[in-house]
Amino acid sequence: HGFAHFRTELKHITMGNVGCGTKRGEPPAPVGILGSKMPDFELDSTLGKTSLYKVFGEKWGILFSHPADFTPICTTELGMAQEYLAEFEKRGVVIAGLSCNDSESHKEWLKDIEAYTEKKRGKAYKPTYPIFADTKREVAHMLGMIDMGHVSDKGIPLPARKVFIVDSKKTIRCTLCYPAATGRNFDEILRVIDSMQLTTAEKLATPANWKQGEDCVLLPNLKGEEAKAYNPTLIELPSGKEYLRTTKCPALEGKQ
């Protein structure tokens, strides 16, 4: 019965968004995909009722969802997010969490997160960023945060471990999605942010396993004097096509 209720609820929410921002007969505007605008929403949170746009302001932002309060992997993740907060702030990035429990549950959970991090990380990391209470699952459904393979005792699918990274214009630049049993890698999230902020400011791309400070690649359409300015090194390939050109990584300061 719980799963049937979920299907009805999902249909209601989906139908409610059909046609948003489009003319009759056209497909609905995509929500939550790369290049689209992150929708705003207002919910109660651990810091009181607020909206996503108010939290992010004019900065880059990360919204990450969690299956449920008082669960082991989520507890490690929220503590780690707080531990990495200084690194996010250094990059001009604001973070916010989201779960389908209510804000009072969130606030009680913070005590466990604080105690866990003190025992395992050697320092107490109590989240100071907001954790939204999406009790009706409306935001989770709207943004495709649901994990159909992970259900509650009532048979209702729970939120996945999803990450949305948006830029200062609220454009979705990256999404990551992890299953319930796999905790997120915050070093990877920082790496992706470094890459996106660099490649937003420069006409470059970053190769596989790139880390801040390592060589970058010129975009294929970068020609002439613009390309020469990067003093590139051409990688000769059997095809004879001159498309793989590397260059030293420019400084990231002030690139946000």
Side-chain angles (χ1 to χ4, degrees):
H1 294 295
F3 189 69
H5 171 73
F6 163 75
R7 289 173 61 89
T8 303
E9 181 182 343
L10 180 59
K11 180 179 179 182
H12 169 72
I13 293 170
T14 304
M15 293 303 291
N17 284 302
V18 169
C20 290
T22 62
K23 296 178 181 179
R24 184 178 295 276
E26 293 182 353
V31 176
I33 66 170
L34 298 190
S36 66
K37 189 170 184 178
M38 186 71 170
D40 194 16
F41 57 81
E42 186 177 68
L43 291 171
D44 196 13
S45 78
T46 50
L47 300 183
K49 192 170 185 178
T50 187
S51 72
L52 186 67
Y53 281 17
K54 285 181 181 178
V55 172
F56 287 173
E58 300 301 317
K59 296 183 177 183
W60 285 59
I62 297 176
L63 176 68
F64 53 107
S65 60
H66 300 272
D69 295 358
F70 302 104
T71 52
I73 305 306
C74 295
T75 298
T76 67
E77 287 188 322
L78 267 71
M80 192 63 70
Q82 181 67 27
E83 185 173 344
Y84 274 61
L85 190 61
E87 290 296 327
F88 289 125
E89 291 175 343
K90 187 189 302 182
R91 293 160 172 79
V93 178
V94 180
I95 67 174
L98 180 143
S99 164
C100 292
N101 299 94
D102 61 44
S103 59
E104 291 306 311
S105 172
H106 291 344
K107 291 174 185 176
E108 285 299 311
W109 184 28
L110 295 184
K111 299 174 185 177
D112 283 4
I113 297 168
E114 182 179 20
Y116 163 79
T117 52
E118 186 170 19
K119 291 178 180 179
K120 298 296 289 184
R121 306 295 297 176
K123 181 179 178 180
Y125 289 101
K126 184 179 180 180
T128 57
Y129 53 86
I131 304 171
F132 285 104
D134 185 26
T135 55
K136 295 182 179 180
R137 288 182 164 81
E138 291 180 348
V139 174
H141 290 316
M142 175 176 65
L143 294 175
M145 290 175 159
I146 299 299
D147 182 353
M148 299 298 289
H150 187 214
V151 299
S152 69
D153 294 338
K154 296 180 180 179
I156 300 174
L158 295 168
R161 302 186 191 286
K162 194 149 187 180
V163 180
F164 287 92
I165 305 176
V166 305
D167 62 23
S168 57
K169 296 180 180 178
K170 308 297 184 297
T171 301
I172 297 174
R173 301 293 298 275
C174 178
T175 62
L176 301 167
C177 193
Y178 298 74
T182 303
R184 279 166 274 221
N185 186 320
F186 284 83
D187 288 325
E188 169 63 5
I189 294 173
L190 287 179
R191 190 190 76 86
V192 170
I193 291 170
D194 286 343
S195 172
M196 292 190 299
Q197 291 187 340
L198 173 65
T199 56
T200 295
E202 304 283 349
K203 295 182 179 180
L204 299 172
T206 57
N209 288 355
W210 176 89
K211 293 179 182 178
Q212 185 174 332
E214 295 180 349
D215 286 357
C216 300
V217 175
L218 271 66
L219 296 177
N221 61 356
L222 194 63
K223 308 291 184 183
E225 293 302 316
E226 276 193 302
K228 289 180 181 179
Y230 285 104
N231 191 26
T233 298
L234 175 66
I235 306 299
E236 295 185 3
L237 300 169
S239 67
K241 298 182 184 296
E242 300 181 352
Y243 62 87
L244 191 44
R245 300 165 294 168
T246 64
T247 186
K248 296 295 182 183
C249 181
L252 281 173
E253 286 79 12
K255 300 300 183 184
Q256 288 90 349

